[in-house]
């Protein structure tokens, strides 16, 4: 019996595959490499010393997805595959809706048809919109402000309806806060295409000298230093939450929602200063206009995940900085291109 990990070559997926292989599970990765590279899979093999099956398949290709289910004895699925850039989703909403939603619909049909009725889904703190208070609990109101966020919320609803119609399903919805860092080996990490959209890969590239300075989007937010506050979580902690979520999904049916964050909020300038302190590098920055759509503060109340899953973040901000820096300095241009 194997676990299907869609998007398993991506940033969070690759770290999750490592944790599952280390736990002795059989893994089948399904990825079309639209935002990752096949060499990730070799690096996963190097880190773990274990074999992993790779299917280069687009989730939108129903026949190819079905072939995966016919070939391998899939018992559960961890579903990462999706497009994730907020700005791009506003420019190309149809591409985002089609890829993320149609892909999930095809996947769910196969999970049902082949009796693999367990799914852990990558949702996002973005489904909380602009929260009225922090820390954010799972029962807070849900809303979104962009097509990417809409796809996450719609998929949450689709999975809930699927369970209502077929109560044998176990659905675990993990709402991630801001994953950063990298595996301690420095072999796998985040490899954004082009100029990074997100704060931390931007900081690591400034540290490496690839970008001249960080633009800090606004210093007039209602936070301790005026810059935006987020809940940054080490990607290995996030990966381990999936092990715990699947462990529970194997025991109970139903639909459950969990925040996956640390519960700590750090500002943009906190992150800059932490990275400078840990690495000894200088991160020049300039304060610029706010980025449209950004909110003041977003951090989790992660108590439910601790209570129900026995999961809690273990790495601290220094670990995140150290590991992200190791990845960036060992792989200044990210993963090599396919030959
Ligand atoms: P990523 O882009 O690194 O990984 C996603 C993977 O899915 C990539 O390898 C890509 O090639 C693959 N993929 C996309 N569409 C596919 C398709 N149609 N068929 C097959 N493979 C496909 O992203 P990530 O940061 O690892 O994020 C993983 C998941 O977590 C995504 O669903 C994302 O929306 C969600 N998430 C990410 C963050 C974050 O800040 N990184 C925050 C909250 C939620
Ligand atoms: N920021 C800058 N300069 C930059 C990039 C970001 O100042 O160059 C600031 C932002 O204004 C924000 C903070 O850094 O205050 C974090 O921004 P990110 O883009 O790294 O992350 P977001 O919280 O905006 O969004 C991320 C993902 C979303 C996801 C959300 C919650 O990009 O997809 O976390 O999980 F929905």
């Amino acid at each position: 019996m194997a676990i299907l990990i869609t998007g398993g070559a991506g940033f969070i997926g690759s770290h999750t595959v490592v944790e599952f292989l280390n736990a002795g599970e059989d893994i089948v990765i399904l990825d079309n490499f639209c935002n990752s590279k096949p060499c990730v899979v070799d690096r996963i093999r190097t880190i773990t010393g274990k074999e992993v099956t790779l299917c280069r398949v687009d989730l939108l290709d129903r026949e190819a997805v079905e072939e995966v289910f016919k070939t391998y004895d899939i018992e559960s699925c961890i579903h990462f595959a999706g497009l994730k850039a907020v700005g791009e989703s506003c420019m190309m909403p149809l591409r985002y809706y089609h890829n993320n939603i149609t892909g999930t619909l095809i996947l769910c049909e196969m999970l049902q048809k082949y009796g693999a009725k367990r799914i852990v889904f990558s949702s996002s703190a973005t489904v909380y919109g602009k929260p009225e208070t922090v820390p954010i609990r799972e029962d807070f109101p849900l809303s979104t402000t962009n097509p990417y966020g809409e796809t996450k919320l719609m998929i949450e609803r689709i999975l809930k309806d699927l369970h209502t119609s077929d109560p044998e399903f176990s659905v675990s919805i993990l709402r991630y806060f801001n994953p950063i860092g990298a595996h301690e080996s420095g072999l796998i990490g985040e490899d954004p295409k082009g100029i990074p959209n997100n704060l931390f890969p931007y900081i690591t590239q400034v540290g490496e000298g690839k970008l001249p300075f960080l633009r800090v989007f606004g210093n007039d937010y209602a936070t301790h230093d005026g810059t935006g506050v987020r809940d940054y979580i080490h990607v290995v902690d996030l990966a381990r939450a999936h092990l715990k979520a699947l462990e529970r999904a194997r025991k109970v049916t139903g639909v459950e929602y969990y925040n996956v964050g640390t519960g700590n909020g750090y500002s943009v300038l906190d992150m800059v200063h932490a990275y400078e302190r840990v690495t000894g590098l200088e991160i020049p920055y300039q304060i610029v206009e706010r980025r449209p759509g950004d909110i003041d503060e977003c951090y989790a109340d992660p108590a439910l995940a601790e209570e129900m899953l026995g999961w809690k973040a273990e790495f601290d901000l220094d670990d995140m900085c150290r590991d992200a820096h190791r990845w960036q300095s060992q792989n200044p241009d990210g993963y090599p291109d396919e030959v």
Side-chain angles (χ1 to χ4, degrees):
M1 300 286 268
I3 303 166
L4 180 68
I5 304 197
T6 75
F11 172 44
I12 307 170
S14 57
H15 290 81
T16 304
V17 172
V18 166
E19 295 304 311
F20 274 92
L21 289 173
N22 285 340
E25 300 279 4
D26 278 340
I27 300 299
V28 174
I29 295 176
L30 182 159
D31 205 300
N32 66 354
F33 300 111
C34 67
N35 199 35
S36 54
K37 292 182 186 160
C39 69
V40 174
V41 181
D42 296 326
R43 294 189 179 200
I44 291 173
R45 292 185 180 117
T46 304
I47 291 169
T48 61
K50 305 220 166 133
E51 210 22 74
V52 55
T53 303
L54 169 64
C55 300
R56 185 175 198 146
V57 164
D58 190 329
L59 262 190
L60 298 174
D61 182 345
R62 179 190 302 270
E63 280 173 20
V65 176
E66 180 144 23
E67 205 48 47
V68 172
F69 279 82
K70 282 184 181 157
T71 309
Y72 303 100
D73 191 6
I74 306 294
E75 52 112 341
S76 307
C77 175
I78 316 286
H79 179 31
F80 293 104
L83 300 173
K84 64 167 182 177
V86 171
E88 190 181 66
S89 80
C90 298
M91 317 275 287
M92 305 179 186
L94 300 182
R95 179 167 180 237
Y96 271 67
Y97 285 119
H98 187 47
N99 189 76
N100 293 4
I101 294 179
T102 312
T104 302
L105 291 175
I106 291 172
L107 176 67
C108 288
E109 280 172 34
M110 296 305 158
L111 293 173
Q112 189 166 44
K113 183 167 175 185
Y114 290 86
K117 298 185 183 178
R118 267 181 230 118
I119 181 166
V120 179
F121 172 61
S122 303
S123 189
S124 164
T126 196
V127 300
Y128 296 113
K130 188 177 185 325
E132 280 190 11
T133 57
V134 278
I136 299 170
R137 285 199 323 269
E138 288 81 353
D139 58 1
F140 274 26
L142 305 178
S143 68
T144 59
T145 52
N146 57 72
Y148 165 71
E150 285 293 337
T151 69
K152 292 292 168 194
L153 198 48
M154 282 183 198
I155 294 169
E156 288 199 5
R157 289 176 178 148
I158 289 166
L159 293 174
K160 182 164 176 285
D161 290 343
L162 177 62
H163 170 264
T164 305
S165 69
D166 184 348
E168 287 176 0
F169 261 95
S170 292
V171 177
S172 187
I173 290 176
L174 303 185
R175 295 179 178 147
Y176 311 154
F177 283 67
N178 292 55
I180 61 168
H183 190 264
E184 61 172 4
S185 63
L187 287 175
I188 56 173
E190 188 168 10
D191 183 18
K193 275 191 182 153
I195 296 182
N197 298 310
N198 296 114
L199 176 67
F200 215 63
Y202 207 107
I203 290 180
T204 63
Q205 292 198 14
V206 172
E208 199 60 32
K210 290 187 73 180
L211 294 166
F213 61 91
L214 172 72
R215 290 178 307 145
V216 175
F217 297 142
N219 66 349
D220 56 352
Y221 286 104
T223 62
H224 62 272
D225 61 15
T227 65
V229 165
R230 298 291 183 275
D231 186 337
Y232 296 92
I233 175 168
H234 196 297
V235 64
V236 172
D237 271 331
L238 178 56
R240 290 177 182 162
H242 295 77
L243 278 176
K244 296 289 191 176
L246 185 61
E247 195 179 302
R248 182 164 165 83
R250 282 171 168 159
K251 290 191 209 126
V252 297
T253 56
V255 186
E256 296 185 348
Y257 304 85
Y258 295 105
N259 285 340
V260 188
T262 65
N264 301 314
Y266 292 106
S267 73
V268 175
L269 293 182
D270 290 337
M271 299 306 286
V272 167
H273 296 138
Y275 197 73
E276 290 183 325
R277 179 173 48 73
V278 171
T279 64
L281 299 168
E282 197 197 338
I283 306 296
Y285 66 85
Q286 282 179 17
I287 308 289
V288 300
E289 292 280 281
R290 287 183 176 203
R291 183 172 64 178
D294 275 353
I295 57 176
D296 304 60
E297 286 193 293
C298 175
Y299 58 92
D301 177 343
L304 190 65
E306 184 170 4
E307 184 194 333
M308 303 301 292
L309 302 179
W311 172 87
K312 187 170 176 260
E314 286 167 6
F315 293 102
D316 63 19
L317 189 52
D318 285 23
D319 299 322
M320 301 182 218
C321 292
R322 186 199 58 225
D323 292 339
H325 174 246
R326 186 183 299 112
W327 156 255
Q328 179 67 62
S329 54
Q330 289 182 16
N331 308 268
D333 298 317
Y335 293 110
D337 282 324
E338 226 175 322
V339 277

